[in-house]
Amino acid sequence: MDIAILHWIQENIVADWLTPLMRCITFFGEYGAGWILLALGLLIPKKTRWIGLSVGVALILGLLLGEFGIKNLICRPRPFVAEEMALLIPAPHGFSCPSGHTTSSFAAATSLFLYHKKWGAVALVMAGLVGFSRMYFFVHYLTDVLFGVALGIACALAARWIIGKIRAATLRKEQM
């Protein structure tokens, strides 16, 4: 079913006018760069510093668990390797599952959503588009993307818990 979905996307959605937009969207998730910039930007104002820290911790957890852990345990080949598909973007390296772009996107977007619903909702839409772009470009299966969504959300929840503990300890220390 995974490969059938990718072929359906190729036959029904991929279009010359849409591909440049999808390249921009997928590039936003490249190495988590767009989300890292968001985290750094949130660290600057004191008002959003804890949010930026939470986004950063979620991104680091996603990187460690997804890229350095789970991908190397599952070792799933990418769809373009299995199907010998010509790509519209440079071929990514490494294994397919979970999608790192999707993991980082949902880790950051969910972290933001946990603190600020409006900004977070916009970020979650962007995260969804990043995940879809990975299927659009035939570099991840739907299950890779769904695994990335779940892992990203889990990393965001863990980061929120970690930052909550650090913040509480910091506040207790300041009150002494």
Side-chain angles (χ1 to χ4, degrees):
M1 183 173 99
D2 253 354
I3 200 70
I5 291 168
L6 294 182
H7 283 295
W8 186 89
I9 291 169
Q10 295 299 305
E11 294 164 10
N12 296 289
I13 298 177
V14 172
D16 290 341
W17 66 269
L18 186 56
T19 298
L21 176 61
M22 287 310 229
R23 277 191 187 113
C24 290
I25 290 168
T26 211
F27 183 72
F28 185 81
E30 195 74 22
Y31 302 108
W35 303 109
I36 291 168
L37 289 174
L38 173 69
L40 292 173
L42 289 167
L43 286 172
I44 296 168
K46 190 172 185 176
K47 181 180 174 183
T48 59
R49 198 161 288 152
W50 289 106
I51 302 171
L53 196 55
S54 186
V55 170
V57 168
L59 287 168
I60 291 167
L61 289 172
L63 176 69
L64 295 175
L65 293 172
E67 293 299 312
F68 299 131
I70 297 168
K71 272 193 184 196
N72 294 312
L73 292 174
I74 296 175
C75 299
R76 185 180 197 185
R78 292 182 181 270
F80 69 87
V81 172
E83 291 281 314
E84 294 185 30
M85 180 77 158
L87 297 181
L88 299 170
I89 58 171
H93 302 287
F95 295 114
S96 190
C97 187
S99 164
H101 280 66
T102 308
T103 299
S104 64
S105 296
F106 274 88
T110 303
S111 290
L112 187 56
F113 184 80
L114 292 172
Y115 289 92
H116 195 286
K117 301 294 185 242
K118 284 184 184 179
W119 293 353
V122 173
L124 284 167
V125 169
M126 182 62 175
L129 290 171
V130 169
F132 178 76
S133 76
R134 305 311 285 166
M135 294 184 296
Y136 182 95
F137 288 119
F138 217 83
V139 295
H140 283 292
Y141 297 101
L142 173 62
T143 49
D144 302 338
V145 170
L146 293 176
F147 196 154
V149 170
L151 181 59
I153 291 170
C155 290
L157 293 172
R160 170 78 183 231
W161 182 82
I162 291 166
I163 296 306
K165 294 289 184 188
I166 293 169
R167 193 174 185 185
T170 303
L171 290 173
R172 277 194 304 274
K173 192 174 183 180
E174 287 174 0
Q175 291 173 350
M176 292 182 158

